[in-house]
Amino acid sequence: MIVDFQQKTADRIFEVFHNGQRRVLLADEVGLGKTIVAKEVIKRVSKWHKEELHDDHFKVVYICSNLSIAGQNARKLGIQDQVDISESRLSMQHLKIYENAAKGHAYEQLIPLTPATSFSMTVGGGSQAERALIYALIRRQEAFAGYKKKLKRFMAYDASAHWDEVVDKYESRVRACGKNGSNYLREMKDALAGKLANKQELVDAIKDNCDSKDPERRKKSMRLINQLRRIFAEISLQKLDPDLVIMDEFQRFRDLIKTDENTEEGMLSRQFLHNTKTKVLLLSATPYKPYSTLEEIAEDREQSDHYHEFIQVMDFLFHGEKERKTFHTVWQDYSSSLCQVNSDNLALLIAAKGKAEDILYLGICRTERFNTGIIDDKGVKEVELTPGDLFSYDAMQSLLDAIAEEDPKALRWRNVPVDYIKSSPYLLSFMEYYQLKEQISAFCLNHPEFLVSKAAPLKYLLLKKSQIHDYKRIPSNNARLEMLRKVLFPVEENGPELLLWIPASHPYYRTNSVFEKNSDFSKVLVFSSWEMVPRMVSVMVSYDAEQRTIGKLYNKASEHRGRGYFATEEEKRFGASRLKNDSEKIICQVSGLLADLYHPDEKLGWSLRELRKDIQAKLVPILDEMKQHYGIKEQANAGVSDLLECIRALDGDPSAHPASIPANAVKTLADMAIGSPAICAYRMLLRGMQDKPKAAGLASGIAKEVFVSMFNKPEASGILDLLYSKCSERGYYRYVFQYCAEGNLQAVLDEYAHVLDAEGEKLKEAIVTSTVDTVTLSIDMQENFPIKKKKEKNKMRCHFGVAYYNAKADDKAVVRVDRIRKSFNSPFRPFVLSTTSIGQEGLDFHCYCRKVMHWNLPSNPIDLEQREGRINRFKCLAVRQNIARKYCDEFAWNDMFEHATKDLKGDNPDLVPYWCLPDPKLNAVKIERIVPMYPFSQDPIRYDRIIKILSLYRLTLGQPRQEELISILDKTITEDQSHELFMNLSPYYH
């Protein structure tokens, strides 16, 4: 869906391209859908090239900052034919280009490139896929005649498993591409021969390495393979010849617009970024550093001074000598006027600002939000200092002092940074990969006589395994963690620890269940400056949730279920895999008759009790008729197999032969009609497709791959056991249906389908890929610190919360990180995502999260805006909850938003109602900003400074020494005057 201000922006960008300007910056504020605008620009420019310029192949190069963003946005851009993200290396692009150039090829092609993989060729031997493709082509070169087998061994480099399979895969694709009419083999052979002709030394060195029996041969081959990768990257660049280059989150690789020809980035720039014929669209809310503090400028002027970055970007946009000179003249006049600002006479400044705005608008589009009170800052407050904070500091410092006394040279740092203590408890458990901990561990391993327990109280430095094994409550020992715990678990009983998904924003019926009691619950996004925090938060909140569920059962005298937290695989954790065989089948069973017994739109606002009574009344005569037809009776010992046969018989399956009916069948079938995962998914899918058998198959797949997996986890078993007292293995499936009915699962899935904006197979794929398995993190504990081998460390589970980290450029890591992002954007667990700056730009986390916790305040005020922009986005959770409250009598989400548009939009752009509601009173549900500030710290002063700068920094756009200028403006002009001086670069308002 594209909204009005996005459409006008796309129209403006196309107009600029059509008029001959080849470089445009789309700088919409974070969260306003720059990717949607880019999709429309691609559509318009593609049509222009096809119908007016008569091109037969339209190629778009999409450059983004990392594989996670590529995976998130590539399909949003609307071109179906794409390079697989795992094949995004620059040296591999030639194959896909020629595959797409085959007879009957698709007109449009999107080629994603990422700096982490595509341009990083200075070191390393690349991926197996990359080397296999290179091997398939160099073995065909006359220069390597007779070296086929040796080259295969040479190109294997460090590959062990699956190398032959990967080689066969790319050999097959190369052969097929050679026969598709694109002249691939001949043209690639010629291009490669031309490159190698000038690199005879490289050819000889490769042959020597192939013939060598030196045990160091493999190590020496990396440099040679790297040179081959560079050659193939150059060939790919020459073959790319894009019609449009899109650079997403441009600020991440601003160096690409420089022309240093000795770097890979310079190679890319020469090919098409500094080719004035290539159309380039830059996407970034912060294309240059919007603000620089005096401290940053003092530390590193070249890297931190935003003014130089601003001028560099403007020089790239206005690359013609005449245009560049004009811009500099106009901007200098504006800067001079701004520095001489006087509140009594703003006329000259406003006139200069108008000229500056006009010239910026020639190459820049930017739309910004307006303030409607959707941000709630009540969570910005001082936290109560815990005794554990003080004791943790004392324990850590005592340990450092004791080590220093033993060996003054053992530690580089003699004092523990206070910010470490404020950021995480149990530092030695979570401070992995920090040099301070590594030095402590090394000292303790080298001095076995040194006892850490004598130097400092361990209970403040390390978690205790025996306490965790017995599910004891672990003290926070940290004010920030204590605040997060209160946000997540505000009550001791019936809290979010009993939820497996976020309550529906628009529940179809009333339940008086744990979901209704936690109806305002939201996922929480935690940002920190320290890498230890995501590890700590994900472990501690997951343990909290488990301790409040499984832990209660384990420690209950009448229950004492399970074998403790650290139960081995052989012992098997309590409650695992309860759904199996026919119990699993019934969860996945789609029944047309049961699905037709409940139409949510007809019974909106009923209570669950009324619904059950209504459906059971319909079922009784149907079951009586079946009893009579098959001559069967209800039997107390009848089980799930009998119930499955009954359901098949009810749906008219001629092969069904029920022998009896379970005594509780009416109740169970009613809960199935209301909340069965398969039946709810079936109804959801039928709203977008007419093929009932296909919908049933897809729904069954969703139930199996998402819900069977979910309810087979011990965490889910613990929840159901607590809610429904005793869930026997035999009857567990009945409580699954009861939980789903109480959880308004139909409303949850319908809302999720609306958020995903997908149908049929794409909807099924999106839901299935939105779940993530429980992960474990290796943790040091009191009983075994320090440990020589990481594999011997204790492992703690992360499921309620997860850490979002910077993935390495390999397929498994990329898939894992992408699954975490998708799962956080689903209604299902995890409910807490903790991250560092890796999650700060370019990624969406808004679908089910309206709480953002700034564990540490960022050093640059603009980073606060970037962080909150992750959840302040199109149809975010807060907006949906407000819309659902106001239009609760409507059933469908589209109808609610259409009604809201008609009532509330007025003269506003479509920011209303999709991003906010115009009246603060309508924003009953808000996006919550949580900033836990330590008492007697600089946090309150820093926060006030950040807010002040955020209110004024746009006035100092492109000015040197902004902090001083903001200080002057704050004293000189009024709030109304500041509005007059804002740069308006929005096509909607222009």
Side-chain angles (χ1 to χ4, degrees), residues 86 94 347 465 534 576 766 924 985:
S86 64
H94 54 84
K465 182 178 180 180
L985 302 177

Side-chain angles (χ1 to χ4, degrees), residues 9 411 418 421 698 783:
T9 300
L411 299 174
V418 174
I421 302 295
L698 295 174
E783 287 84 346

Side-chain angles (χ1 to χ4, degrees), residues 739-753:
Y739 183 85
C740 291
E742 292 176 355
N744 247 291
L745 183 59
Q746 187 68 66
V748 170
L749 287 180
D750 289 349
E751 181 178 358
Y752 191 29

Side-chain angles (χ1 to χ4, degrees), residues 650-668:
L650 290 173
D651 281 323
D653 186 343
S655 65
H657 296 287
S660 62
I661 300 177
N664 55 8
V666 172
K667 183 184 178 205
T668 303

